[in-house]
Amino acid sequence: MDKIKIPIEENLGHGHLACAGCGAAIAMRLTLKALGEKTVMVFPASCWSIVPGFWPYSSYRITAVHAGFVTGAATASGVRAALDVRGDDETLVAVWAGDGGTFDIGLQALSGAAERNEDILYICNDNEGYMNTGTQRSSATPLLAWTTTTPTTQPKENPKKDIMAIMADHHIPYAATATIAYPEDLIRKLEKAKGIRGTRFIHLFSPCPPGWKMASEQSVKISRLAVRSRIFPLYEIENGRDYTIQEEQRVVPVREYLKLQGRFSHLTEKDIEITQANVDDAWERLLRKSRCFI
Ligand SMILES: Cc1ncc(C[n+]2csc(CCOP(=O)(O)OP(=O)(O)O)c2C)c(N)n1
């Protein structure tokens, strides 16, 4: 793989309001470096409606369009159409939406845009819950995790929705997973997505220190452990068909990932075994879908 340079350009300025250690703040900084200034980014309601600060101030050095919670992909489709009418095919139209805004409430708009193969780059900032409003469960919350709506006496009963499989089944030109623990990989995937026309989807793994009850200095470490434990493998899907896995050779048991987060502190030995078995099963399924390794 070619060596990737992280661009010097900064498009996320000082003074933003993200929590200490917010994984998404690091991800946003890297993302805006890769996408560049000529970007219109649509923000359906999420932490990122608040993080840049209050009008007339903003930490974004790109054009930001704040949109209704359900409308991320639909708003971006409209922005793209308006730019096309103006003959502007240089400006990139992107969406930055939470997992609530993607897996749940915005899924219909996203599915419609993907089916039409709208020329947009959709980034799902997945912190595995509705964090801006106080850590409610979403369909991206993992099995057995604590949230304020899945207390430890009744932890989440359902597994995380497989959003990558859903996007692959729309046969979009490009979908990829990424984390801040592998910044060159994230930049490479964003730059690759930028060079493709049609609907592109990035599933970004995004540790949330208050919501995950984890130490704020461990966002990068937890992201790396998510990949090494295969809780969150790094891979790409082209045209809904061609899978490429960026396999991490240093594999660790899921226990190493779970034990750093208070949202899993109630898990029993049996729960950890169930989680490990589910992860092993998902990995096998992913391997069967992939055709090569790099
Ligand atoms: C229709 C509608 N319902 C509820 C809200 C309140 N609300 C704002 S942000 C948010 C949580 C968003 O969760 P997610 O999409 O996961 O992003 P995160 O906050 O985790 O970044 C909610 C429920 C809203 N703005 N609009």
Side-chain angles (χ1 to χ4, degrees), residues 45-47 69 98-101 105 127 129-133:
S46 81
C47 293
F69 201 5
D99 48 285
I105 192 163
N127 52 26
Y130 291 72
M131 298 318 195
N132 186 49
T133 41

Side-chain angles (χ1 to χ4, degrees), residues 116-288:
R116 296 188 304 274
N117 199 21
E118 295 283 351
D119 188 17
I120 60 173
L121 169 57
Y122 191 105
I123 300 164
C124 173
N125 174 46
D126 182 5
N127 52 26
E128 304 192 319
Y130 291 72
M131 298 318 195
N132 186 49
T133 41
T135 318
Q136 293 85 21
R137 153 216 204 280
S138 78
S139 58
T141 303
L143 181 72
L144 301 171
W146 166 91
T147 66
T148 53
T149 49
T150 50
T152 53
T153 47
Q154 212 178 338
K156 190 173 182 249
E157 292 173 351
N158 320 90
K160 184 180 175 99
K161 192 186 274 181
D162 188 349
I163 194 73
M164 286 292 283
I166 293 169
M167 295 316 293
D169 279 351
H170 285 75
H171 312 293
I172 56 172
Y174 187 67
T177 62
T179 93
I180 53 169
Y182 300 80
E184 289 90 354
D185 179 72
L186 169 61
I187 296 275
R188 180 183 67 79
K189 286 170 174 168
L190 288 164
E191 286 179 346
K192 182 167 173 179
K194 203 177 157 184
I196 296 171
R197 284 291 159 108
T199 305
R200 297 86 91 197
F201 182 81
I202 303 284
H203 184 193
L204 190 66
F205 179 83
S206 198
C208 170
W212 294 10
K213 296 178 181 281
M214 51 171 271
S216 57
E217 68 274 19
Q218 294 204 324
S219 284
V220 173
K221 181 173 181 180
I222 285 176
S223 301
R224 191 170 297 116
L225 287 174
V227 177
R228 288 190 179 162
S229 65
R230 296 172 170 161
I231 287 258
F232 192 87
L234 294 177
Y235 61 102
E236 296 162 279
I237 312 171
E238 284 169 76
N239 304 311
R241 218 179 24 241
D242 299 328
Y243 283 66
T244 310
I245 304 175
Q246 288 78 45
E247 196 175 3
E248 169 56 87
Q249 300 301 329
R250 284 150 294 186
V251 182
V252 298
V254 290
R255 178 190 305 277
E256 299 300 309
Y257 168 80
L258 300 172
K259 74 179 185 196
L260 296 176
Q261 302 171 57
R263 65 177 175 152
F264 296 119
S265 58
H266 57 283
L267 263 56
T268 62
E269 278 303 312
K270 180 101 188 101
D271 293 336
I272 295 172
E273 276 170 31
I274 291 169
T275 306
Q276 182 70 62
N278 289 344
V279 167
D280 293 346
D281 183 53
W283 176 252
E284 284 304 316
R285 273 185 281 126
L286 181 62
L287 284 185
R288 280 201 294 275

Side-chain angles (χ1 to χ4, degrees), residues 20-43:
C22 172
I26 303 171
M28 177 62 90
R29 182 177 171 212
L30 291 167
T31 298
L32 296 186
K33 279 172 174 285
L35 301 188
E37 217 180 357
K38 259 188 167 313
T39 299
V40 176
M41 195 171 261
V42 175
F43 294 91

Side-chain angles (χ1 to χ4, degrees), residues 100-117:
T102 303
F103 286 58
D104 299 339
I105 192 163
L107 188 61
Q108 179 179 330
L110 174 58
S111 176
E115 188 272 331
R116 296 188 304 274
N117 199 21

Side-chain angles (χ1 to χ4, degrees), residues 15 17 48-60 62 64-66:
L17 305 175
W48 288 83
S49 311
I50 307 298
V51 169
F54 300 101
W55 189 86
Y57 305 105
S58 172
S59 299
Y60 297 139
I62 45 137
V65 177
H66 292 282

